[in-house]
Amino acid sequence: MTPASFRKIFQGVATRRQMFHLFDRHAQAPMSKARYTGRLYDGEWFEIGRAEYDYMFEILPPLWMRGEMFAMREFMSGSITSVFLALGMNRRIRYFHGYCDMLAKGSAERLRDIILARERQPEPAMTRAEQLDHIWSTTPADYRGYAGEGWLEQHRDKTILINGGAQGAVLTLLEDLSPQQLQRLASLAEPVAA
């Protein structure tokens, strides 16, 4: 198994409704090996509140508990499952969710270390990749999708947005958004209902 590329997919603390929406953010993905095996999710993480952390802990007995972390007994797909973390930072406890490959030795510990390094930075600015993931995560399912037939082969299965405006609906590859479009969409991003 190749190690996950851990990435923050949502800015802020997700409410319960947002958390469940984020759990299902790849529901429209094409039926591919990445979806069947859970690779689409592997390494994604975001912050949640204590109530959401406690709620997920009480659903089922955890697969395992290691200090400040526990893993869900039910797997997303293949060897990918949810890991929940309660991490002390700046004299308070913050709560996180991430997907880890249980066959990749030490993946949960790597996730913890990456979150701690990222979130301990003073006012960490979002990277372009994080901004794109945040926009994808907060865009309602009706306004996002995956490039399929009609797109060049190299663009197939990549994420797209349906941008509106004076010219009507325009399909745009998420990765091709200009800095100005990215800033505009990030400022418009609102929590979506599950």
Side-chain angles (χ1 to χ4, degrees):
M1 299 280 151
T2 57
S5 170
F6 293 105
R7 60 210 176 276
K8 185 175 185 175
I9 61 165
F10 184 82
Q11 185 67 18
V13 179
T15 64
R16 184 172 302 186
R17 176 177 257 176
Q18 291 166 330
M19 176 180 75
F20 282 105
H21 175 77
L22 291 167
F23 288 166
D24 202 28
R25 75 187 216 114
H26 295 296
Q28 297 172 312
M31 291 301 173
S32 64
K33 185 175 181 179
R35 184 170 177 188
Y36 292 136
T37 61
R39 292 286 159 237
L40 279 178
Y41 293 88
D42 191 17
E44 294 183 343
W45 64 272
F46 56 92
E47 189 169 359
I48 59 175
R50 179 175 182 162
E52 288 69 36
Y53 176 90
D54 291 342
Y55 175 80
M56 296 308 293
F57 181 76
E58 294 170 1
I59 287 179
L60 292 171
L63 177 67
W64 53 255
M65 291 181 66
R66 295 182 192 146
E68 69 278 1
M69 300 184 288
F70 71 90
M72 289 296 289
R73 182 169 297 281
E74 289 186 355
F75 285 74
M76 166 63 69
S77 185
S79 57
I80 310 298
T81 194
S82 291
V83 174
F84 292 86
L85 306 96
L87 303 174
M89 282 182 247
N90 303 323
R91 299 187 188 131
R92 66 184 181 110
I93 304 293
R94 292 172 60 191
Y95 302 89
F96 298 89
H97 166 270
Y99 287 108
C100 291
D101 183 349
M102 293 295 102
L103 293 180
K105 186 177 179 179
S107 66
E109 290 76 13
R110 280 194 309 278
L111 172 65
R112 178 198 59 215
D113 294 346
I114 285 169
I115 292 172
L116 285 170
R118 168 70 171 81
E119 295 299 309
R120 283 184 173 157
Q121 296 175 17
E123 299 289 328
M126 291 177 75
T127 65
R128 177 175 171 80
E130 289 172 341
Q131 290 174 330
L132 293 174
D133 269 323
H134 179 75
I135 288 168
W136 177 262
S137 296
T138 56
T139 299
D142 290 346
Y143 297 96
R144 66 180 189 198
Y146 294 83
E149 290 185 28
W151 289 83
L152 296 174
E153 188 66 36
Q154 68 264 29
H155 299 308
R156 298 249 173 102
D157 298 339
K158 292 187 177 179
T159 54
I160 58 173
L161 293 177
I162 302 170
N163 288 324
Q167 68 273 32
V170 177
L171 299 178
T172 306
L173 284 172
L174 192 62
E175 65 189 40
D176 288 347
L177 292 175
S178 70
Q180 295 79 18
Q181 290 171 313
L182 190 61
Q183 186 176 11
R184 184 179 61 82
L185 288 170
S187 69
L188 296 175
E190 292 185 15
V192 294

